[in-house]
Amino acid sequence: MTQMLINLFRPKQANLKDEVLSGLTVALALVPEAVAFSLIAGVSPLIGLYTAFIIGLITSILGGRPGMISGATGAIAVVVVALVATHGVEYLFAAVVLMGLIQVLVGVLKLGKLIRLVPHPVMFGFVNGLAIVIFMAQFDQFKVEVAPGMTEWMRGTQLHLTLGLVVLTMIIIKFLPKLTKAIPSALAAIIIVSLLVIFGGINVRTVGDIASISGGLPEFHLPLVPLNWDTFMIILPYSAIMAGVGLIESLLTLSLIDEITETRGSGNRECIGQGVANITTGFFGGMGGCAMIGQSLINVNAGGRNRISGIVASVGLLMFILFLSTYIEMMPMPALVGLMFMVAIGTFEWASLKVFRKVPFHDVLVMIVVTLVTVFLHNLALAVLVGVIISALVFAWQNAKMIRARKRVDEKGVKHYEIFGPLFFASALKFGEKFDPVNDPEEIIIDFQESRIVDHSGIDAINKITERYEKLGKTVYIRHLDTSSRTLLAKADKIINVNFTDDDPSYKIVEREREKVED
């Protein structure tokens, strides 16, 4: 335990000052995000703030990616809106607990590695779409409420002041590192702009204008819902979707941070950490959450590489709630808008625009589709799922076109079909077109040395070929099957024969299997 604590608080890639300052920067950026997502979900702003604290703290300690920041997110908030509106906030708490249990189960079963199935174009599309969403989400800060539920764009002096402060924040973040790296440029920008607004008497929107962040410590709270099957069936769909969305966003963010830091996190450990965090937040009246790509990038860019930065960010957020709420509420929103604009600009994969003419068209299509689904539907899980499905279909089509057959007749008059490429559902039809049962000799050999049978469609394709030859009184021999293909082919009809030559390493094994069947 002592060694674990020493390793936890001993930065390996950054110094303590960078970790603490980057954590404080993230804590400031977490406030408006948590408040905004709480309002989206239809719950109290304090619920979002407590969620950000609990999830951020637990995942920083138990998660699989040092330096990654977790908290209340928009992706989860969008999912729970209907549940809160229909059944109330207590059902939300119960759904969050079940969400965490599902995520822990995914981690225990080591399914986090499934993130490897996400192709690079999907990653590009996901990141670009998220960058656009982050950028567009800031536009609400340029609107004012003219009537309950009605807003319009700022005009005149108010708009000019807001724009000026946003631009000033972005300039400080961009150019301060060229002068000094003693303090994270994002934190310096927030402090400078805040002091300018407070002591300059500039009238712009502040964090306090959105909602109060003052509160006490989060309290243990059992969800007040009936413990029966009906309750379980109500929350299960929401919990499953939240768990899926949360893990997809977390694991994709983990992969992105891995690339930036040139290190490797643990996907399965992150699943367990996220699950434990959500179970805990559900029992403390939280709304559920996952990794936050914007805050994670702020942290990494500010120098956060260790678990300390995440712990400082979450504890700092709690300190804001307990003791510094009055001062944090004075923080001008234009400073945070400028910070998020820079995060969006840094998140966007500008390099992806340069590869449009250098990569296959289907990769470009996947990038665009994933980006558009993310931007217009704000459903990250759906965007990634659509991208993976399109990529899988393209892969299947490309491999289906690869199957071919080299034909020859040996000195004994036996015709050989040497198959190249995988035999599976997409290539089965084309495989059948390679043969000529009517004109072929009495015996043919299908050689799979350069091929393999992948699925049941491949077995069915072989059965159909052998049936066609059998009707003509001809015999088919299968040769050079690998182990996996033999296992699948064991389910085929008895009319499928095996080559009896000594050069077929598959023959003896298959022959023994046939003898057992005959016995």
Side-chain angles (χ1 to χ4, degrees):
M1 179 64 71
T2 303
Q3 186 61 41
M4 185 186 74
L5 291 174
I6 292 175
N7 292 335
L8 178 65
F9 289 99
R10 183 176 60 195
K12 297 179 180 179
Q13 296 184 357
N15 58 52
L16 184 61
K17 183 202 70 175
D18 289 340
E19 296 291 326
V20 173
L21 292 179
S22 61
L24 291 175
T25 305
V26 171
L28 293 173
L30 281 171
V31 174
E33 292 276 301
V35 171
F37 296 147
S38 300
L39 298 178
I40 291 174
V43 298
S44 166
L46 274 177
I47 289 179
L49 292 168
Y50 288 148
T51 300
F53 160 65
I54 296 172
I55 292 183
L57 180 63
I58 293 177
T59 55
S60 293
I61 298 173
L62 301 180
R65 173 66 261 181
M68 192 165 76
I69 305 297
S70 298
T73 60
I76 301 296
V78 171
V79 174
V80 304
V81 172
L83 177 62
V84 174
T86 306
H87 299 283
V89 72
E90 295 295 334
Y91 278 82
L92 168 62
F93 301 152
V96 171
V97 173
L98 181 57
M99 165 194 179
L101 291 173
I102 295 173
Q103 291 178 326
V104 169
L105 181 63
V106 170
V108 170
L109 296 178
K110 300 187 182 301
L111 299 180
K113 60 186 177 183
L114 293 179
I115 195 64
R116 300 173 189 169
L117 297 178
V118 179
H120 212 60
V122 176
M123 283 285 292
F124 272 156
F126 162 79
V127 171
N128 290 347
L130 202 55
I132 296 173
V133 169
I134 293 173
F135 192 88
M136 294 177 62
Q138 310 311 311
F139 291 162
D140 288 340
Q141 302 304 325
F142 294 94
K143 297 178 180 179
V144 292
E145 188 174 17
V146 294
M150 295 181 61
T151 60
E152 65 178 22
W153 293 100
M154 292 179 179
R155 299 176 181 175
T157 304
Q158 187 178 18
L159 176 60
H160 298 155
L161 287 173
T162 301
L163 284 173
L165 293 173
V166 168
V167 172
L168 176 61
T169 302
M170 296 174 70
I171 290 174
I172 295 173
I173 294 174
K174 175 67 176 177
F175 295 104
L176 182 63
K178 299 181 182 298
L179 300 177
T180 178
K181 295 183 179 179
I183 181 173
S185 58
L187 178 59
I190 291 175
I191 294 174
I192 292 171
V193 174
S194 297
L195 293 176
L196 180 63
V197 169
I198 294 171
F199 293 103
I202 301 175
N203 184 22
V204 293
R205 182 180 296 172
T206 63
V207 171
D209 294 329
I210 299 177
S212 173
I213 67 167
S214 177
L217 289 171
E219 299 179 356
F220 183 80
H221 173 80
L222 287 174
L224 301 177
V225 296
L227 298 178
N228 54 39
W229 181 254
D230 290 338
T231 299
F232 178 76
M233 293 308 296
I234 289 173
I235 66 174
L236 178 60
Y238 294 97
S239 298
I241 295 174
M242 286 192 292
V245 169
L247 290 182
I248 288 174
E249 187 166 354
S250 297
L251 294 176
L252 287 178
T253 302
L254 183 147
S255 298
L256 180 63
I257 302 302
D258 280 354
E259 285 189 19
I260 294 174
T261 60
E262 297 183 352
T263 57
R264 185 174 181 180
S266 171
N268 292 319
R269 179 174 177 178
E270 183 62 30
C271 293
I272 295 175
Q274 292 284 340
V276 172
N278 279 299
I279 292 172
T280 306
T281 194
F283 283 121
F284 280 85
M287 59 180 279
C290 59
M292 308 178 74
I293 188 169
Q295 276 66 22
S296 297
L297 288 173
I298 291 174
N299 186 47
V300 171
N301 293 335
R305 294 289 187 277
N306 201 261
R307 299 183 185 274
I308 295 178
S309 56
I311 295 173
V312 170
S314 56
V315 173
L317 180 61
L318 181 63
M319 294 300 102
F320 294 160
I321 297 171
L322 296 177
F323 308 114
L324 303 174
S325 59
T326 301
Y327 302 102
I328 299 301
E329 289 172 8
M330 296 169 62
M331 189 165 57
M333 286 304 301
L336 296 173
V337 170
L339 171 60
M340 296 311 294
F341 275 161
M342 293 300 293
V343 169
I345 293 171
T347 301
F348 194 90
E349 286 283 357
W350 299 99
S352 64
L353 302 179
K354 300 178 182 179
V355 301
F356 273 21
R357 296 184 180 181
K358 301 178 181 179
V359 298
F361 171 76
H362 58 81
D363 284 343
V364 176
L365 177 64
V366 168
M367 272 192 282
I368 294 175
V369 169
V370 173
T371 299
L372 292 178
V373 173
T374 303
V375 171
F376 290 104
L377 299 183
H378 290 198
N379 191 328
L380 302 178
L382 178 62
V384 172
L385 181 62
V386 169
V388 171
I389 290 175
I390 295 176
S391 298
L393 292 176
V394 170
F395 176 80
W397 176 252
Q398 296 290 341
N399 277 272
K401 295 190 298 182
M402 291 174 60
I403 194 163
R404 61 193 190 278
R406 180 188 297 160
K407 307 169 188 178
R408 65 182 178 87
V409 179
D410 63 20
E411 64 278 1
K412 297 180 180 180
V414 178
K415 189 170 183 178
H416 295 251
Y417 285 86
E418 298 174 359
I419 307 301
F420 297 83
L423 177 56
F424 66 116
F425 69 91
S427 61
L429 181 60
K430 195 170 183 179
F431 171 79
E433 296 172 353
K434 303 292 183 183
F435 298 88
D436 186 9
V438 175
N439 299 314
D440 278 349
E442 296 299 315
E443 294 182 346
I444 72 163
I445 294 176
I446 305 178
D447 194 329
F448 280 91
Q449 187 166 9
E450 301 296 333
S451 178
R452 62 186 300 267
I453 303 169
V454 177
D455 59 10
H456 190 269
S457 296
I459 296 173
D460 185 63
I462 294 178
N463 277 331
K464 288 179 179 178
I465 289 296
T466 54
E467 286 175 357
R468 289 166 62 187
Y469 281 97
E470 179 72 15
K471 289 177 182 179
L472 297 172
K474 301 177 180 181
T475 306
V476 177
Y477 294 88
I478 307 298
R479 187 178 188 182
H480 288 142
L481 287 172
D482 63 7
T483 304
S484 61
S485 297
R486 289 199 307 271
T487 302
L488 289 173
L489 205 58
K491 302 177 182 179
D493 291 342
K494 294 182 179 180
I495 58 174
I496 298 179
N497 296 301
V498 179
N499 188 296
F500 287 84
T501 58
D502 294 334
D503 64 341
D504 187 352
S506 307
Y507 162 66
K508 293 183 179 179
I509 298 177
V510 177
E511 179 67 6
R512 284 198 295 269
E513 292 176 352
R514 289 172 59 83
E515 290 174 354
K516 290 180 182 178
V517 172
E518 291 172 358
D519 291 340

